[in-house]
Amino acid sequence: MHHILCGLAANPALSSELVDRLISIADDDIATSLACRADLSRAQAVALAERVDESAAQLAYKGRLTAVDIDASVWPDAALALLDQGVGRPEWARLLAADPVRERREKLAACPGLPSDVVDTLAADPDVHVVAALAWWTTRDVAARLAGHPHAEVRRAVAGNEATPPAVLAALVTGEGLPATRRCLVCDREKTPFVHDPQCLRLDCDLPPGASCDGSHESTVHDMRREALLNPATPIEAVAGFADHPSMLLRWALAARRDLPPQACARLASDPTPGVRADLAENPAIDDALIRALADDHDPDVRRRLAHHPRVPLDVLTHLARTAKIGTTLLPRISASSPAEVEELAKSTDPAARMLVAQRRDLPPEIRDRLADDPDAKVVKSLAPHPGLTEAQLRAMVDRHGVRVLAKVATNPDAPPALLEDLVRHQPAVQKVFREVARHRRATASALLVCLADKRARPIAAGHPALPPPVIAELLADADWQVVEAAAANPSLSPAVISDLMCQQ
């Protein structure tokens, strides 16, 4: 019965009176579904929060509760939700800055627009995690001030804050101009030198695997530099030299920088770590020569990521489509292709080129129709979801290519009901077809009944409004709780059945 109630709580056909009844018996799970209702009134939101305290924050995030509804001493997490959105009250921030629960002070520290006195209080918090949270999200001036904090964890957070001034970020990388760091999370807890065992079995230990300190706070300093490398506000002049650093993680962070100079790109292109080369391959900073060099990389992920480069030449992209597992996705270079390039790709003798352009969903009708008759199944599979295809064209695809295109044809938004019914009865069957038809807006009751026989499609079909009400009612007794919830949430569920279910409470 609990799963039925959770489903009913999400059912858009539920009357306001029945919503009230559900609120009166709600637990955490039911409250989660109720809080997502678009028709929840302010009075109902307040009643739900009073019934289930934990729902108040969710309701605040969704705009169901506003500042006039909230007492921060009663619903501190809801007050934090509004502060996080910049619509809370200053007095709440002052109250929460002294909250005994550290996690609340941490969340407060990440909120925008805090009063200056609250910022000062958080910056002096006795728990370094709170100060670090402030350092991650605070303003330019406060970040600059915290860069000289004696704790390395705070400096690491400053290094990741994009509001930190570039000169300060450069100083964090080099250490020049800043007072010496005196503590880190490792030496706060352990006698140095200490290296945290990656297989540590202590249940009360939350140090990262491999964290270490010999007095120089080396693991936290390393992480601080990595944050600075990932931070686009860090001057590239301060970090370009890390292309030759012995730390793979630092080189990897550098490879994603969009402002890399050519020399750093060239060094990273020959990095021994495939992940470094893969991030570089997708980086707009690399030039055509490096693009062509990386196209022959032995690692498949490097080649796959290169296919997502926004400026990859079309001939290279076609080559990659044959040698890398790109998947069914519209690549940036194809999306940006000019009309002439689209025509060129569509007329190519290489099926890989035609397959790439077939992923577009804005093809001119003449090109779309030409590709619909393509002899290569991979091309047709890419094109099948394109809007505007007629029933005759979609059926011709199935007749020519069968199971290879069946699931993609089922995703076409213009697929007519009769075709969907035929797809679910196709022999041999394709399991994914049942799931696609089960979520299709044009699916008929006849097609959905077939989908119910498939274990993975059954929960999807159970929620489809075209399913007959008697069948929906039967599914309320299904052995699968996901099916039960989906059926209970189905807007076509009979009002009489809903009323009977509520009477059982």
Side-chain angles (χ1 to χ4, degrees):
M1 193 65 190
H2 183 260
H3 293 302
I4 291 177
L5 294 176
C6 287
L8 287 175
N11 193 317
L14 212 64
S15 69
S16 180
E17 292 76 18
L18 291 181
V19 171
D20 289 337
R21 289 183 61 184
L22 276 176
I23 289 172
S24 70
I25 60 171
D27 60 9
D28 288 352
D29 296 329
I30 297 171
T32 297
S33 296
L34 286 169
C36 294
R37 293 186 64 89
D39 61 351
L40 200 69
S41 70
R42 176 188 171 194
Q44 287 172 328
V46 172
L48 181 59
E50 290 174 344
R51 167 74 188 181
V52 182
D53 284 348
E54 290 75 9
S55 68
Q58 182 185 4
L59 290 162
Y61 271 118
K62 289 185 173 297
R64 302 285 184 257
L65 294 179
T66 62
V68 297
D69 304 312
I70 291 173
D71 181 341
S73 65
V74 177
W75 293 327
D77 294 326
L80 277 170
L82 293 185
L83 286 167
D84 188 38
Q85 298 172 81
V87 292
R89 292 176 172 169
E91 59 267 28
W92 295 351
R94 295 185 179 97
L95 174 68
L96 292 165
D99 195 292
V101 179
R102 185 197 84 188
E103 289 75 14
R104 288 200 182 113
R105 303 199 308 277
E106 279 189 76
K107 187 166 184 178
L108 175 66
C111 293
L114 294 173
S116 58
D117 59 310
V118 173
V119 171
D120 291 340
T121 299
L122 295 170
D125 196 279
D127 194 304
V128 70
H129 293 90
V130 176
V131 185
L134 178 68
W136 267 110
W137 302 106
T138 194
T139 60
R140 174 187 178 93
D141 292 342
V142 178
R145 188 174 90 207
L146 291 176
H149 196 279
H151 204 288
E153 190 67 15
V154 175
R155 297 192 190 196
R156 182 181 74 85
V158 173
N161 187 339
E162 293 187 18
T164 302
V168 174
L169 290 167
L172 287 169
V173 172
T174 63
E176 298 175 3
L178 294 175
T181 307
R182 296 200 295 270
R183 302 192 313 278
C184 69
L185 292 179
V186 178
C187 61
D188 277 349
R189 309 174 194 189
E190 306 290 345
K191 184 178 179 180
T192 57
F194 177 83
V195 178
H196 186 222
D197 184 355
Q199 308 301 322
C200 178
L201 300 178
R202 291 184 298 173
L203 297 179
D204 62 342
C205 182
D206 59 359
L207 286 174
S212 63
C213 181
D214 59 5
S216 66
H217 324 294
E218 63 273 15
S219 66
T220 310
V221 169
H222 174 276
D223 292 346
M224 177 186 67
R225 287 175 172 167
R226 183 171 180 272
E227 296 296 346
L229 284 163
L230 292 169
N231 192 333
T234 304
I236 189 60
E237 300 80 14
V239 296
F242 283 86
D244 295 318
H245 198 277
S247 168
M248 173 267 292
L249 291 176
L250 297 185
R251 300 195 309 274
W252 204 331
L254 183 65
R257 297 271 311 205
R258 297 304 191 244
D259 52 359
L260 277 177
Q263 301 88 338
C265 290
R267 290 198 295 274
L268 292 170
S270 59
D271 196 279
T273 302
V276 174
R277 303 196 306 277
D279 271 15
L280 182 73
E282 201 171 352
N283 192 331
I286 63 174
D287 59 22
D288 284 359
L290 275 185
I291 290 175
R292 293 186 179 277
L294 289 168
D296 294 323
D297 195 284
H298 67 274
D299 188 86
D301 191 48
V302 174
R303 300 195 304 275
R304 182 185 64 81
R305 296 282 294 279
L306 184 65
H308 290 263
H309 193 284
R311 293 195 328 278
V312 59
L314 292 179
D315 64 311
V316 174
L317 189 52
T318 302
H319 166 71
L320 292 169
R322 294 192 300 266
T323 63
K325 293 183 179 180
I326 297 172
T328 55
T329 183
L330 177 60
L331 298 171
R333 180 63 180 86
I334 297 300
S335 180
S337 296
S338 67
E341 289 173 326
V342 168
E343 179 71 28
E344 176 189 348
L345 288 165
K347 287 183 175 179
S348 173
T349 58
D350 191 335
R354 303 196 303 275
M355 178 185 70
L356 289 171
V357 76
Q359 287 290 341
R360 286 185 61 143
R361 298 293 173 255
D362 59 348
L363 293 172
E366 63 276 11
I367 294 179
R368 178 201 63 205
D369 294 345
R370 186 193 319 154
L371 292 174
D373 295 328
D374 200 281
D376 192 288
K378 293 191 294 295
V379 177
V380 175
K381 183 178 178 181
S382 294
L383 183 81
H386 198 295
L389 291 169
T390 66
E391 179 176 1
Q393 287 175 312
L394 293 171
R395 288 188 179 276
M397 292 177 178
V398 174
D399 291 340
R400 289 196 311 271
H401 303 291
V403 296
R404 290 174 293 180
V405 303
L406 222 61
K408 288 298 183 182
V409 169
T411 68
N412 190 289
D414 300 322
L419 174 59
L420 297 175
E421 291 180 6
D422 291 341
L423 292 178
V424 296
R425 293 182 174 87
H426 188 277
Q427 291 297 327
V430 175
Q431 300 305 119
K432 191 175 181 182
V433 167
F434 300 121
R435 301 195 297 278
E436 297 298 348
V437 172
R439 61 172 61 95
H440 201 289
R441 62 184 177 87
R442 291 187 166 187
T444 62
S446 176
L448 292 167
L449 290 174
V450 178
C451 295
L452 285 173
D454 181 78
K455 182 178 180 180
R456 295 179 66 183
R458 191 175 178 86
I460 305 170
H464 199 293
L467 206 61
V471 176
I472 303 172
E474 291 176 8
L475 293 173
L476 295 173
D478 200 87
D480 186 337
W481 69 268
Q482 293 176 297
V483 174
V484 172
E485 283 200 12
N490 194 318
S492 295
L493 183 63
S494 165
V497 172
I498 294 176
S499 180
D500 288 344
L501 291 169
M502 292 301 298
C503 285
Q504 297 175 33
Q505 298 308 305

